[in-house]
Amino acid sequence: MIALGAVFRPQLPPERLRSVAELADRAGLDELWLWEDCFREGGIASAAAALAWTERVRVGVGLLPVPLRNVTLTAMEAAALHRMFPGRAVLGVGHGAQDGMGRAGARVESPMTLLREYLDALRALLRGERVTAEGRYVRLDGVALDWPPQGPVEVLAGGIGPRTLRLTGEAADGTILTAGTSPDRVRAARRLLAEGRAAAGRAEEDHRIVVYLLTARGADAVERVRADVLAEGAGGDPDAAVAGDAETVARAVRELAGAGADAVILQPTADEPDPEGFVRFAAEEVRPLVP
């Protein structure tokens, strides 16, 4: 069954998160996703709070920018979440927006090299291994977690371009695809991910694909979606966004699922006037229409 979720966008103040998270939990939404977006809410702090306020909804962070975070710290925080809230935390890592990384003094010359080294070290640490690494960016000297997760956990990575998608297939357990990804682009991404898995000898392993879907409802839905796409600029297919009622949104979700998405996360526009209502719409109106 396709998992359905919604994004709590960091344009909202952190104090709004509790009401949205609790509603997502009560309404039966499968997943609630958060962003660590410069220079707004921190992903781990927000995820920990959302998990503590809820009982069953899975909470994802998509994504943690690796230039900002030492891999050991990410492993420590991820392990703590997985031990305290087994099966409910979903963490993704990625390059981060390069402009933001530059402004924070964290931009690197080779984001691809950093992400590869980071994924290898992070997954090994979360498996409970003792890790020594002497990479270009990731350098560890016999590091092991005192409190690793008590079972296997997934590490997802964000990807857009072909090189990054092949890398996430090779080195991550799943991939997060940005809003604006059409069904055709999901199929193309699956092929690139498969190439990466084959190159790493991981062709038989499962690889979860999470896709954001820019979504608006209400009388001004079309105008708000168009404004959001224009504000974001290049990087997606405007026709991949959806504006309309529950059946229109559910149809778009089903098309993404048919293309290979394992989870579709409805992303409200930045100016969504009713975040709680958006979550209720996703859980109570769209969810019943999605297999």
Side-chain angles (χ1 to χ4, degrees):
M1 181 176 72
I2 185 78
L4 187 71
V7 177
F8 175 87
R9 291 187 62 148
Q11 284 84 357
L12 294 168
E15 58 268 26
R16 289 291 300 273
L17 176 58
R18 182 167 190 164
S19 64
V20 173
E22 290 178 341
L23 177 59
D25 204 45
R26 291 194 308 270
L29 195 66
D30 300 322
E31 301 183 2
L32 178 67
W33 280 72
L34 314 170
W35 297 349
E36 185 161 271
D37 193 2
C38 291
F39 296 94
R40 299 183 175 109
E41 289 98 337
I44 296 295
S46 299
L51 287 162
W53 289 325
T54 56
E55 297 291 336
R56 45 149 300 278
V57 67
R58 299 184 82 198
V59 176
V61 181
L63 44 76
L64 300 168
V66 298
L68 281 177
R69 290 180 160 274
N70 182 282
V71 69
T72 305
L73 178 61
T74 299
M76 292 162 56
E77 293 185 320
L81 290 181
H82 282 291
R83 290 182 71 104
M84 291 188 291
F85 308 101
R88 293 183 55 215
V90 187
L91 298 183
V93 299
H95 300 309
Q98 294 306 294
D99 175 67
M101 298 303 98
R103 292 171 63 199
R107 188 167 185 166
V108 298
E109 290 184 1
S110 178
M112 292 291 294
T113 301
L114 171 58
L115 185 58
R116 178 183 296 276
E117 293 177 358
Y118 202 100
L119 284 167
D120 288 345
L122 179 58
R123 293 178 67 240
L125 289 167
L126 293 176
R127 290 194 297 265
E129 298 176 13
R130 185 170 298 278
V131 180
T132 294
E134 297 182 359
R136 180 175 178 180
Y137 299 108
V138 175
R139 299 177 183 177
L140 304 176
D141 183 8
V143 174
L145 299 177
D146 283 5
W147 298 104
Q150 294 174 303
V153 301
E154 292 180 328
V155 175
L156 279 62
I160 298 175
R163 291 180 62 214
T164 303
L165 288 170
R166 289 190 187 96
L167 173 58
T168 65
E170 179 179 345
D173 302 303
T175 297
I176 303 166
L177 301 176
T178 187
T181 303
S182 67
D184 284 344
R185 291 180 69 171
V186 173
R187 294 184 185 95
R190 286 182 62 194
R191 291 191 291 271
L192 293 166
L193 295 169
E195 291 174 10
R197 293 203 308 278
R202 303 179 64 194
E204 301 304 317
E205 297 181 24
D206 291 335
H207 190 95
R208 189 169 190 246
I209 298 177
V210 178
V211 184
Y212 291 134
L213 175 61
L214 180 61
T215 305
R217 65 207 168 89
D220 59 349
V222 173
E223 291 77 11
R224 287 195 291 113
V225 162
R226 183 179 297 116
D228 229 49
V229 170
L230 290 174
E232 291 296 326
D237 179 357
D239 293 334
V242 61
D245 60 11
E247 177 53 44
T248 302
V249 175
R251 187 182 310 117
V253 172
R254 294 193 296 266
E255 290 173 356
L256 290 169
D262 298 295
V264 176
I265 312 303
L266 305 186
Q267 175 182 314
T269 58
D271 61 350
E272 166 60 48
D274 182 7
E276 290 84 2
F278 185 88
V279 166
R280 188 178 293 108
F281 168 75
E284 297 179 357
E285 298 184 46
V286 179
R287 170 79 271 181
L289 302 176
V290 178

